Amino acid sequence: MAYTNSSMVAYTKLSPNHSGQRTHSIDRITPHCVVGQLSAESICGCFTSLSRQASCNYGIGTDGRVSLCVEEKNRSWCSSSNANDQRAVTIECASDKTEPYAMNSRVYDSLVKLCTDICKRNGKKKLLWFGDRNKTLNYTPKSDEVVLTVHRWFANKSCPGGWLYARLGDLAAKVTAALGSPSEPKPAPDKKQFYRVRKTWADSKSQRGAFSVLANAKKCADSNKGYSVFDENGKKVYPADAPGTNKSIDAIAREVIRGDWGNGDERKKKLTAAGYDYSAVQKRVNELLK
């Protein structure tokens, strides 16, 4: 197919670090955090040396301007994965230098527009985000689909950081809407609820049973001192939680990723004071950031 580059490009400085023309058509987009509030020009400047052994297709500077580092027809060296980079358009986005590597609104707005432009020029009508590594990498996109992938799936990195990772569903929805194909909510799977009896949600080895009837789970907890009943989302449903602990472990973990509970010891103290199981919350945070 004939590849083109985005008309949004305001600056071009082509990197020598690429593998030539792709061996796979474009059906992925991989946004990255550049770890620095860099300009469009500076992002390209990061990849001008052969010794760097890295590059990207596009960069988005802190003011939202877009630069071209590797032409879209060529495979960049960006995701620590030959297979991913062969089929993905890779985008480095200006960000803070520390986790969650937040990006300003100008960068994020340009990312939405650039992803929309990439999809349009390549004949795609939907941008998909599954939020699951195995599901994504085992999925074969339809001819009009592009899927989002992330660097952390291929290397021991947090890229694109918690800030953008938590917004990839929003990014996919906005791009798909702009392409004229509003994403339809998928019906929830027919999943039977089980109530698990454990000391804490994180301590799966202490489990005394999984019950489809809440009353039976309560009886089991009553006969095992120090045990509680948890639903599928990790929320303690029996005995009654302390005041203020009515959110699920999953919901609190997502708040932690957003930065709502601070960092380090401060986070641990706040969560414990609010009545949450810190170990369970942190375990879920780690799962979400994989």
Side-chain angles (χ1 to χ4, degrees):
M1 65 170 289
Y3 291 98
T4 59
N5 299 315
S6 177
S7 61
M8 291 179 62
V9 171
Y11 176 80
T12 299
K13 182 72 172 180
L14 296 180
S15 170
N17 302 331
H18 63 82
S19 300
Q21 187 156 333
R22 301 173 180 276
T23 59
H24 195 290
S25 60
I26 292 169
D27 61 6
R28 294 179 183 177
I29 294 176
T30 311
H32 300 249
C33 57
V34 79
V35 190
Q37 296 294 355
L38 304 183
S39 66
E41 291 83 358
S42 295
I43 292 175
C44 280
C46 292
F47 307 119
T48 56
S49 172
L50 279 169
S51 63
R52 181 69 186 274
Q53 294 289 293
S55 63
C56 61
N57 291 113
Y58 295 102
I60 300 178
T62 189
D63 60 357
R65 294 168 62 247
V66 176
S67 58
L68 178 67
C69 307
V70 172
E71 291 189 271
E72 212 165 297
K73 67 181 180 181
N74 293 330
R75 177 216 151 190
S76 67
W77 300 344
C78 202
S79 306
S80 303
S81 167
N82 176 20
N84 185 72
D85 287 342
Q86 288 288 7
R87 58 201 299 179
V89 175
T90 56
I91 307 169
E92 289 280 2
C93 304
S95 70
D96 287 346
K97 291 184 176 181
T98 56
E99 182 66 48
Y101 302 109
M103 300 170 189
N104 66 46
S105 60
R106 295 185 297 275
V107 173
Y108 187 66
D109 289 346
S110 286
L111 179 60
V112 172
K113 292 175 183 177
L114 180 57
C115 288
T116 302
D117 176 65
I118 291 166
C119 289
K120 279 183 177 179
R121 287 182 294 101
N122 288 280
K124 310 299 183 180
K125 295 181 180 179
K126 294 180 181 179
L127 180 62
L128 306 176
W129 169 242
F130 297 122
D132 180 89
R133 180 183 187 276
N134 290 332
K135 181 175 181 179
T136 302
L137 300 186
N138 288 309
Y139 180 76
T140 301
K142 297 176 183 177
S143 60
D144 65 347
E145 294 177 339
V146 173
V147 296
L148 286 166
T149 56
V150 288
H151 195 179
R152 65 175 62 171
W153 290 348
F154 309 107
N156 185 24
K157 297 177 178 291
S158 64
C159 183
W163 189 93
L164 183 56
Y165 192 87
R167 289 165 173 78
L168 291 178
D170 175 73
L171 174 64
K174 285 180 175 176
V175 170
T176 298
L179 293 168
S181 303
S183 54
E184 298 179 2
K186 296 181 179 179
D190 185 14
K191 181 179 180 181
K192 190 174 183 180
Q193 171 74 275
F194 279 94
Y195 299 97
R196 305 178 190 280
V197 179
R198 301 176 179 178
K199 287 184 177 180
T200 67
W201 176 252
D203 188 5
S204 59
K205 292 182 178 180
S206 70
Q207 184 165 302
R208 286 290 183 265
F211 303 86
S212 59
V213 178
L214 178 58
N216 293 338
K218 288 181 178 180
K219 289 180 182 178
C220 180
D222 289 339
S223 62
N224 289 275
K225 185 177 181 180
Y227 279 73
S228 301
V229 180
F230 300 87
D231 67 13
E232 294 286 351
N233 294 318
K235 179 182 177 182
K236 187 168 78 171
V237 296
Y238 181 81
D241 285 325
T245 60
N246 59 345
K247 293 183 179 180
S248 70
I249 295 297
D250 187 82
I252 295 300
R254 294 179 188 280
E255 290 181 1
V256 168
I257 291 172
R258 290 203 307 267
D260 296 354
W261 292 83
N263 295 297
D265 288 337
E266 177 193 16
R267 175 193 296 170
K268 185 174 184 178
K269 289 178 181 177
K270 285 184 177 180
L271 288 169
T272 302
Y276 292 104
D277 183 338
Y278 173 78
S279 297
V281 173
Q282 192 59 48
K283 179 182 178 183
R284 183 57 180 151
V285 168
N286 294 338
E287 291 173 347
L288 290 170
L289 291 178
K290 284 182 180 178

